[in-house]
Amino acid sequence: MATDNFRFLVLGGTGSIGYAFTRELLQNQEQVTLLVRNRHKAQKLFGDQPTLQLVEGDAQDGELLKKLGAEATHIFHGVNYPYGKWQGNMERVTQHVIEAAAMSKATIFFPGNIYNFGLIRSITETSPQQPSTKKGQIRVKLEQLLRQAAAQGKCRVISLRLPDFWGPNVLNEGIAPIFRGALANKPMPWLYRNDIPHQLVYTPDAARAFYELAKLPPQEAYAEYNFAGEVVPSIKAWQAQIAEIAGAEAKYKVYPGWLFKLMGLFSADMREISEMSYLWQNTILLNDEKLRRALPNLKRTPMQQAIAETLAWHRES
């Protein structure tokens, strides 16, 4: 059921995690305003929903964002750009989100990631942030902007740090080809290594965690949590499970590191991937004891069910 007087503004609602969060809100009859650049794409994803309002525009339009923010109690900052466009764009849009939230002292929801820490085996909410990449440095800057805004009383912030995510409408080229491959009985790709444990989170589970955090009594101005999702014994084992549920033979393809270095000589996108290679060559784990204390009844979707739902989404899309 809807929570009294909540009004959500969702940015990036047609993307991976924003899509899942919007669906979670609509399933709970919450009032949602979705700022989208492509109204047709949003209508195809969500259909007609009585509590959904679509506004066509760009999150880089600071005045539009402030107008929408004045009516919101919560703003979901799911805006993302291709790696090569992070510099400048991510800082600027985050500042716009802060200014929009300040209109009504709204709570900003921010999906964090593990780039802030460089190569570290286990991450808690108090682990030192020592990024080893340009994109990690940008993520640290974004969180600093949000933390400062919360300290100044402009807004509240709930940051939920996530591992690699997967699920319906997750269309990045690291995840979607796995499910497409399984459905077409073709090799399922991965980068660098598929033989070590890897942490993943199913986007509807992350969306549910965000929504449950929204319902907690307000605590600190800047609240940070990790969400561990599930650790699979290896990507290869996970892919085998996906293939089995898809009714296909398990076929694998691993793109080696030297390939990205070579292609990086000619492609900026490949250089961006190569810079992040440590993420796929090592097992890095988020510790979410704090979240489990805050939300002891938070449910996670069983892996088989989550895989079946994701395959069904790809089959129908």
Side-chain angles (χ1 to χ4, degrees):
M1 292 295 293
T3 308
D4 291 343
N5 302 320
F6 276 7
R7 298 181 306 279
F8 292 87
L9 170 61
V10 178
L11 312 175
T14 60
S16 299
I17 186 67
Y19 167 80
F21 186 60
T22 301
R23 281 185 56 85
E24 177 71 18
L25 294 177
L26 294 175
Q27 287 167 3
N28 285 281
Q29 293 91 49
E30 295 289 359
Q31 296 294 323
V32 182
T33 298
L34 201 60
L35 178 63
V36 296
R37 285 177 293 178
N38 186 328
R39 180 186 292 270
H40 176 73
K41 179 180 179 181
Q43 287 175 328
K44 184 178 178 183
L45 284 173
F46 299 109
D48 292 324
Q49 302 276 352
T51 63
L52 175 64
Q53 177 189 14
L54 296 180
V55 176
E56 201 159 17
D58 195 312
Q60 294 287 8
D61 184 342
E63 291 306 310
L64 173 60
L65 216 55
K66 283 195 283 189
K67 179 182 176 182
L68 297 175
E71 303 296 323
T73 58
H74 299 77
I75 301 177
F76 185 85
H77 180 3
V79 179
N80 208 353
Y81 291 87
Y83 274 167
K85 295 183 179 180
W86 272 28
Q87 188 76 45
N89 282 314
M90 288 302 295
E91 295 99 316
R92 190 160 47 248
V93 77
T94 298
Q95 194 59 55
H96 288 326
V97 172
I98 289 169
E99 291 167 3
M103 300 296 293
S104 60
K105 299 285 195 297
T107 297
I108 297 172
F109 288 133
F110 185 67
N113 65 26
I114 64 174
Y115 297 6
N116 307 49
F117 302 92
L119 179 53
I120 181 175
R121 299 302 178 186
S122 179
I123 299 169
T124 71
E125 289 79 5
T126 59
S127 294
Q129 299 197 5
Q130 298 173 327
S132 57
T133 63
K134 291 180 296 181
K135 288 176 283 299
Q137 291 166 3
I138 292 170
R139 296 298 298 194
V140 170
K141 178 66 181 302
L142 301 185
E143 292 182 20
Q144 287 172 342
L145 290 172
L146 292 165
R147 191 181 295 273
Q148 184 179 35
Q152 293 171 345
K154 293 181 178 180
C155 57
R156 288 182 65 237
V157 177
I158 296 177
S159 174
L160 185 63
R161 197 175 303 284
L162 304 169
D164 281 344
F165 42 75
W166 65 284
N169 200 48
V170 178
L171 298 177
N172 72 69
E173 288 304 309
I175 293 296
I178 294 174
F179 291 90
R180 293 173 184 150
L183 288 170
N185 202 23
K186 293 181 178 178
M188 296 170 288
W190 192 248
L191 313 183
Y192 294 92
R193 293 188 64 174
N194 67 354
D195 61 339
I196 57 176
H198 196 82
Q199 195 170 48
L200 300 160
V201 65
Y202 185 52
T203 47
D205 290 350
R208 192 175 308 116
F210 265 118
Y211 184 57
E212 293 303 319
L213 287 170
K215 294 189 287 184
L216 290 181
Q219 298 175 10
E220 63 263 56
Y222 186 94
E224 184 175 355
Y225 300 89
N226 294 337
F227 188 21
E230 182 162 351
V231 180
V232 295
S234 69
I235 289 296
K236 186 175 183 179
W238 183 56
Q239 290 174 329
Q241 197 174 3
I242 293 169
E244 181 181 5
I245 293 171
E249 178 187 352
K251 302 174 184 177
Y252 311 101
K253 179 192 294 183
V254 178
Y255 294 110
W258 63 261
L259 179 64
F260 294 100
K261 288 184 178 180
L262 178 62
M263 295 175 70
L265 297 174
F266 312 99
S267 165
D269 288 343
M270 292 302 104
R271 285 196 296 275
E272 296 285 352
I273 291 174
S274 185
E275 183 192 45
M276 308 305 293
S277 63
Y278 73 95
L279 295 173
W280 298 288
Q281 292 174 314
N282 299 276
T283 299
I284 301 174
L285 301 178
L286 287 165
N287 179 310
D288 68 354
E289 290 178 8
K290 179 182 177 182
L291 181 69
R292 285 188 275 117
R293 287 195 302 270
L295 301 175
N297 297 318
L298 182 65
K299 292 183 174 61
R300 289 165 170 79
T301 307
M303 180 59 80
Q304 282 194 310
Q305 178 185 338
I307 290 172
E309 289 172 357
T310 305
L311 286 167
W313 189 91
H314 279 281
R315 196 178 287 116
E316 294 162 9
S317 64

